[in-house]
Amino acid sequence: MKDSICTKKTRISDSLLYALIYICAASSVLLLVGIIAYVLVRGIGQINLSFLTNVTSVLRGTVGIAGNIVNTLYIIIITMLVATPIGIGAAVYLNEYAKPGRLVSLIEFATETLAGIPSIIFGLFGMMFFSQTLGLGYSLLTGSFTLTLMVLPLITRNTQEALKTVPDSYRTGAVGLGAGKWYTIRTILLPSAMPGIITGVILAIGKIVGESAALLFTAGSAYTLPSGISDIFSKIFSSGGTLTIQLYLSAQKGDFDIAFGIAVVLLVIVLLINAATKLLTSKFDVTREKK
């Protein structure tokens, strides 16, 4: 009985290890809370309706980030419209159609390498290829195409891993019922993998929102709003600075109140993105369990 699990005494080393683990976990939480609190204290006073709905104008004496918010939305929408189908399609090919071999290994290696390239290199490539070679200039479209290259590995790998978690019994069952390959993918595999796919897409959006280095080389820094309905589509061919670009420029000029105000807006967006990720994944998990 002396050596039983119930009567065995806890060793001092185990207690120290538990304490170290709890300290590390608490440090992570405190670090996040500290950053959020500091940014809120410095920037919450700058947030008001005028700041969010106006653009900065010396003539009118206004300071605002409405143009940067619109530019950020442009970048997100265009990038995701291009990157999402390509990323999901590549993952479906790699996981469901391609046979394991050198080609698949090469594609996966290229994807992983692409994910590790510094964003400044993407910006340099985007400036030389999309801006100068293709003649798109400094524009929201150039920035979106550049960010597409950056987020493709994230969407592809998340979708691929999500498809791998779908049980093989789903595939064999569909084949046994006479379903074709594409029908099985479209109606069974993709819906079952949807939580992981959505996670990848939303994380890609978060990466787009927080990117600045690549956009400095490709999208420019203009912060004007579209002048009318006809200008909504033509604006994608003009320069446009996102929230992160404006934050960088404001800090560079010493306008730290404006910089921290933008930082508060970015923090709120990031928190909303993470909350949406949790909500959507839990919703799809519940729906899948019911089925």
Side-chain angles (χ1 to χ4, degrees):
M1 292 295 292
K2 291 182 179 180
D3 296 329
S4 66
I5 297 176
C6 297
T7 59
K8 190 175 181 180
K9 293 183 178 180
T10 303
R11 290 178 295 182
I12 297 177
S13 59
D14 292 338
S15 300
L16 292 175
L17 183 60
Y18 278 122
L20 183 61
I21 291 172
Y22 283 119
I23 290 172
C24 292
S27 299
S28 301
V29 176
L30 290 175
L31 183 62
L32 175 62
V33 173
I35 292 174
I36 293 176
Y38 182 78
V39 172
L40 286 176
V41 170
R42 291 291 304 270
I44 196 65
Q46 189 68 31
I47 304 299
N48 52 53
L49 186 61
S50 175
F51 185 70
L52 298 174
T53 58
N54 288 324
V55 295
T56 301
S57 174
V58 178
L59 296 176
R60 291 182 295 177
T62 58
V63 176
I65 58 171
N68 302 110
I69 293 175
V70 171
N71 292 335
T72 303
L73 292 176
Y74 267 105
I75 292 286
I76 291 172
I77 293 171
I78 298 172
T79 303
M80 297 313 296
L81 284 176
V82 178
T84 302
I86 296 176
I88 294 176
V92 169
Y93 168 76
L94 290 172
N95 203 70
E96 303 299 328
Y97 286 98
K99 296 180 180 179
R102 291 184 178 179
L103 179 60
V104 174
S105 299
L106 179 63
I107 295 173
E108 291 181 345
F109 175 76
T111 303
E112 293 171 358
T113 304
L114 198 64
I117 294 177
S119 60
I120 197 72
I121 297 178
F122 281 105
L124 183 62
F125 172 81
M127 181 183 67
M128 298 302 298
F129 182 72
F130 296 118
S131 178
Q132 298 185 14
T133 304
L134 298 185
L136 296 177
Y138 283 98
S139 64
L140 293 171
L141 192 60
T142 301
S144 298
F145 284 161
T146 303
L147 290 186
T148 296
L149 301 179
M150 293 182 60
V151 300
L152 261 177
L154 182 60
I155 298 175
T156 301
R157 295 300 294 172
N158 272 274
T159 303
Q160 194 176 0
E161 293 302 320
L163 288 170
K164 288 180 180 179
T165 61
V166 179
D168 288 334
S169 58
Y170 287 23
R171 299 173 176 83
T172 56
V175 172
L177 293 173
K181 186 77 170 179
W182 172 240
Y183 184 84
T184 302
I185 293 171
R186 180 169 53 87
T187 61
I188 298 175
L189 300 185
L190 287 179
S192 299
M194 195 57 67
I197 296 173
I198 290 176
T199 299
V201 169
I202 296 180
L203 289 176
I205 293 175
K207 187 171 184 178
I208 294 169
V209 171
E211 182 54 44
S212 60
L215 294 177
L216 279 171
F217 285 85
T218 56
S221 59
Y223 48 80
T224 57
L225 288 167
S227 58
I229 297 177
S230 60
D231 193 35
I232 292 177
F233 296 102
S234 61
K235 185 174 174 59
I236 65 175
F237 298 102
S238 61
S239 173
T242 60
L243 288 167
T244 51
I245 297 296
Q246 188 59 41
L247 189 154
Y248 167 76
L249 295 175
S250 298
Q252 192 178 44
K253 289 186 274 188
D255 298 329
F256 291 107
D257 290 337
I258 297 175
F260 275 104
I262 298 173
V264 171
V265 175
L266 286 171
L267 269 180
V268 171
I269 292 174
V270 170
L271 290 174
L272 288 176
I273 288 173
N274 282 278
T277 304
K278 295 292 184 182
L279 180 63
L280 289 173
T281 52
S282 61
K283 182 179 179 180
F284 275 100
D285 286 337
V286 171
T287 304
R288 186 168 60 178
E289 289 176 359
K290 288 182 179 179
K291 292 181 179 181

